Amino acid sequence: MQGTPARRRRRTSLRPALALTAAAAAAMLTTGLLSWPGTQRAAAAPAAFVHPGVTVSRAQLDFARSKVLAGAQPWKAAYDQMMASQYASLGRTPKPRAVVECGPYSDPNYGCTDEREDAIAAYTDALAWYISRDERYARKAVELMDAWSATLTDHTNSNAPLQTAWAGASWAKAAELIKYTYTGTWANEGRFATLLRNVYLPKVINGSNSNGNWELTMTEAAVGISVFLEDKASYDSAMARFRTRTAAYVYLSSDGDLPKTVPSQNLNTRDKIVSYWQGQSTFVTGLTQETCRDFVHTGYGISAISHVAETSRIQGQDLYGTDVGERLRQALGFQSKYELGATVPSWLCGGSVKRGLGPVTEVGYNALHNRLGIAMTNTQTLTERNRPAGTNNLFVAWETLTDGDNPN
């Protein structure tokens, strides 16, 4: 790992934030310094939103830009990977449609892939603009957003909430960067804001009772859109839902014999909970609700948790020192261990797991290991092995570039 001795000392001094004794945690709860899910539902929105402030801050972008311009690794390789991708093509033609229809696993797929990829492209172009200062990329991002804001009216069919979340998460990041860093004009910014407010936000703000990755990703989109719109009520609503769902998605031994649940799902018996947890009946710290489904969907959930936590930190409420950070740390470590090829015990998922976690570890690893100084051996090995982390072509993109060993 890179870093000066002084930086390591700073990390070490912060480690107790995630190594609380029960007595210390109780004392902090009493004094209001720490809030676990169910103990507090105070407003999470800042008095004034920070911009750009959806998963990446200006300081993070400036750090990444300085590293790329200096030719330093892994940032230069990550930037080159991004610029060589289809998403950075200045010849890209947007493919908007009035109604995007997405069935189970995007079947039927009427505009689903086009929308997700145009949204990732807009975010890619926004990053390319910020690092290169080549205005062509900012204008391409604007072109993509304008095309969709002039056309889209709805998402339909069974996967509509998840599709809206995937695209909405990327659109919010792209719009945030262009609005608050591009020095040119974006005449239709208001129209795009209206699209996010009227077409996207209503589909994601109320969450989902499906598998947990749905609601976590929907919450990510809702939080990002709320920041862009400076909508404090929606932000608070999404963050409260996020705290409840995160606690119900990643198990900690401190939860008791059974995982926490989302009240609206009526998972009020052990049998119901075991069924919802993909038939897994032995619960250990770091296990997620979808571990025994497959690591791909588990990765979606873990990624969304890290994205919301990062946005919250930028907006002034650092959740990494709460149970959110501990659940994220444990989920990353548990999944990384088996992703790296550890033998799966017979009590876990019947003795076999479906690997494929995806490029989802950089944000959480950077926050917890690099900023807080927590040892995360398996997560570190996996993260460094996978660099530069690319995109999952859904809602995760270029996180070695934006978050790799980033101290900001």
Side-chain angles (χ1 to χ4, degrees), residues 361-375:
T361 64
E362 287 279 16
V363 176
Y365 172 72
N366 185 58
L368 296 164
H369 177 74
N370 292 333
R371 293 199 199 109
L372 296 184
I374 299 167

Side-chain angles (χ1 to χ4, degrees), residues 75 83 105 139 237 275 347 354-355 358 405:
W75 305 276
M83 297 305 289
Y105 297 94
R139 290 195 293 269
S237 174
S275 177
W347 56 262
K354 297 178 181 177
R355 295 176 174 88
D405 298 339

Side-chain angles (χ1 to χ4, degrees), residues 281-326:
S281 58
T282 300
F283 301 102
V284 297
T285 292
L287 183 79
T288 80
Q289 182 255 313
E290 295 185 276
T291 297
C292 293
R293 180 187 185 187
D294 58 57
F295 278 19
V296 172
H297 289 89
T298 298
Y300 300 165
I302 290 173
S303 181
I305 291 171
S306 69
H307 292 166
V308 176
E310 195 67 8
T311 297
S312 179
R313 182 189 68 88
I314 295 167
Q315 297 304 326
Q317 185 184 53
D318 195 334
L319 297 178
Y320 290 117
T322 72
D323 80 302
V324 169
E326 181 65 2

Side-chain angles (χ1 to χ4, degrees), residues 346-360:
S346 60
W347 56 262
L348 176 61
C349 310
S352 67
V353 294
K354 297 178 181 177
R355 295 176 174 88
L357 195 61
V360 303

Side-chain angles (χ1 to χ4, degrees), residues 56-379:
V56 290
S57 67
R58 188 180 295 273
Q60 288 173 293
L61 291 166
D62 286 342
F63 174 85
R65 182 171 189 260
S66 71
K67 292 297 186 181
V68 171
L69 295 182
Q73 301 298 353
W75 305 276
K76 181 61 165 59
Y79 178 73
D80 290 345
Q81 175 195 46
M82 180 182 79
M83 297 305 289
S85 76
Q86 61 163 319
Y87 299 108
S89 171
L90 290 170
R92 186 179 193 87
T93 300
K95 298 178 180 178
R97 63 172 62 210
V99 177
V100 172
E101 181 181 354
C102 307
Y105 297 94
S106 295
D107 182 16
N109 182 340
Y110 298 131
C112 315
T113 302
D114 291 339
E115 181 189 26
R116 292 195 305 266
E117 293 189 349
D118 276 354
I120 292 174
Y123 176 54
T124 300
D125 290 328
L127 288 174
W129 140 253
Y130 195 91
I131 291 173
S132 71
R133 294 300 196 266
D134 184 335
E135 289 200 28
R136 293 178 300 166
Y137 291 102
R139 290 195 293 269
K140 177 57 69 172
V142 167
E143 177 190 342
L144 290 162
M145 290 187 284
D146 282 356
W148 282 90
S149 69
T151 308
L152 183 66
T153 62
D154 199 11
H155 298 88
T156 64
N157 213 319
S158 61
N159 258 35
L162 186 59
Q163 170 71 21
T164 306
W166 282 336
S170 296
W171 286 132
K173 290 187 289 188
E176 187 80 354
L177 292 187
I178 294 300
K179 180 175 181 178
Y180 292 101
T181 73
Y182 178 42
T183 52
T185 59
W186 182 12
N188 293 312
E189 179 267 318
R191 189 177 73 195
F192 192 78
T194 298
L195 175 74
L196 293 181
R197 180 179 294 107
N198 295 342
V199 177
Y200 285 88
L201 191 58
K203 279 282 198 301
V204 298
I205 192 61
N206 293 318
S208 165
N209 286 325
S210 185
N211 281 301
N213 82 87
W214 276 51
E215 184 160 276
L216 288 165
T217 311
M218 292 165 71
T219 301
E220 177 188 342
V223 166
I225 290 168
S226 296
V227 170
F228 181 73
L229 298 177
E230 298 196 322
D231 184 336
K232 293 184 179 182
S234 292
Y235 186 92
D236 287 345
S237 174
M239 288 301 301
R241 190 175 302 279
F242 168 74
R243 297 295 296 271
T244 299
R245 176 59 72 173
T246 299
Y249 194 71
V250 182
Y251 176 80
L252 298 179
S253 61
S254 58
D255 294 338
D257 292 339
L258 294 172
K260 292 181 178 292
T261 62
V262 174
S264 61
Q265 292 190 265
N266 196 34
L267 299 172
N268 53 10
T269 68
R270 178 181 178 84
D271 286 348
K272 287 182 181 180
I273 291 172
V274 168
S275 177
Y276 186 59
W277 282 63
Q278 319 297 324
Q280 177 69 13
S281 58
T282 300
F283 301 102
V284 297
T285 292
L287 183 79
T288 80
Q289 182 255 313
E290 295 185 276
T291 297
C292 293
R293 180 187 185 187
D294 58 57
F295 278 19
V296 172
H297 289 89
T298 298
Y300 300 165
I302 290 173
S303 181
I305 291 171
S306 69
H307 292 166
V308 176
E310 195 67 8
T311 297
S312 179
R313 182 189 68 88
I314 295 167
Q315 297 304 326
Q317 185 184 53
D318 195 334
L319 297 178
Y320 290 117
T322 72
D323 80 302
V324 169
E326 181 65 2
R327 292 179 197 278
L328 177 59
R329 176 174 80 92
Q330 297 291 354
L332 282 168
F334 187 86
Q335 266 62 222
S336 293
K337 174 182 176 180
Y338 295 107
E339 182 74 9
L340 288 167
T343 300
V344 181
S346 60
W347 56 262
L348 176 61
C349 310
S352 67
V353 294
K354 297 178 181 177
R355 295 176 174 88
L357 195 61
V360 303
T361 64
E362 287 279 16
V363 176
Y365 172 72
N366 185 58
L368 296 164
H369 177 74
N370 292 333
R371 293 199 199 109
L372 296 184
I374 299 167
M376 300 175 70
T377 304
N378 289 321
T379 306

Side-chain angles (χ1 to χ4, degrees), residues 374-390:
I374 299 167
M376 300 175 70
T377 304
N378 289 321
T379 306
Q380 179 173 352
T381 299
L382 182 62
T383 300
E384 293 178 350
R385 188 183 77 176
N386 289 345
R387 286 179 172 169

